Amino acid sequence: MAEAYASQLIQAPADVVWDRVGGFDSLPRWHPGVVSSERVTRPEAGPGPLRRLTTRDGEVYLEARLEHDPHARSYAYTLLESPLPVRDHLAKLRVTPVTATGQTFVEWSATFSLTPGHEGEAAALCQWIREEFFARGLRGLAHTFLPPPPRVSAPELEWRR
């Protein structure tokens, strides 16, 4: 089994962060690499709703939510279709309050196996998922909670006669 993990400290209370990330279709609101997330009707019975993600690179991922626990502020999902050479994929996003500071600790992790013929790519794929998808997304999430930059007034224009 291969594993990818990323975490981020967010300058906002956990309930506020969960409101932003807890919706299964919320990734385009905060992940800079995801342009759309749409619900997909299941062709047959199965657990949880399906979402189709499209990235800025045009890649498409079909994912099924397996768990959703608003009290624990977490959800888990699996990849059903993707351009990645993975199988037995299980990912989890979790939001935890940092009680001493009022901040929030967000974790995003996945375990998976590589499809036959791609076993030698485990290290590179784990790094790509960790850095380019999970960590990039969590930095995007943290950025949505930063205060806006201060407004600098434009210097008055001096009109010449």
Side-chain angles (χ1 to χ4, degrees):
M1 266 310 198
E3 188 173 320
Y5 174 89
S7 62
Q8 178 78 41
L9 191 61
I10 308 284
Q11 303 298 321
D15 287 337
V16 174
V17 175
W18 177 248
D19 282 345
R20 178 99 18 111
V21 303
F24 193 52
D25 296 323
S26 70
L27 265 75
R29 292 178 48 207
W30 54 270
H31 196 301
V34 177
V35 294
S36 70
S37 177
E38 60 182 306
R39 288 288 173 114
V40 178
T41 304
R42 279 189 170 277
E44 69 260 353
L50 299 181
R51 70 179 175 194
R52 179 178 292 118
L53 299 178
T54 303
T55 67
R56 292 204 185 285
D57 299 333
E59 294 177 331
V60 176
Y61 298 79
L62 182 63
E63 301 173 337
R65 189 177 72 197
L66 302 174
E67 300 171 12
H68 183 261
D69 187 342
H71 299 293
R73 297 182 197 92
S74 68
Y75 70 81
Y77 63 95
T78 187
L79 280 175
L80 300 177
E81 297 174 12
S82 85
L84 304 177
V86 301
R87 60 189 172 104
D88 304 323
H89 174 275
L90 176 63
K92 187 168 190 171
L93 183 95
R94 184 170 68 174
V95 172
T96 306
V98 179
T99 57
T101 63
Q103 298 167 306
T104 299
F105 184 69
V106 182
E107 299 174 277
W108 202 351
S109 62
T111 58
F112 53 89
S113 299
L114 277 80
T115 56
H118 294 274
E119 295 85 0
E121 301 169 32
L125 185 57
C126 287
Q127 180 178 357
W128 183 88
I129 292 170
R130 181 183 63 246
E131 298 299 323
E132 298 300 320
F133 202 79
F134 290 171
R136 182 178 178 204
L138 294 177
R139 284 190 306 272
L141 175 63
H143 184 76
T144 68
F145 291 101
L146 293 177
R151 297 190 80 186
V152 178
S153 59
E156 292 194 30
L157 298 174
E158 184 177 314
W159 296 97
R160 298 184 188 238
R161 294 184 181 204

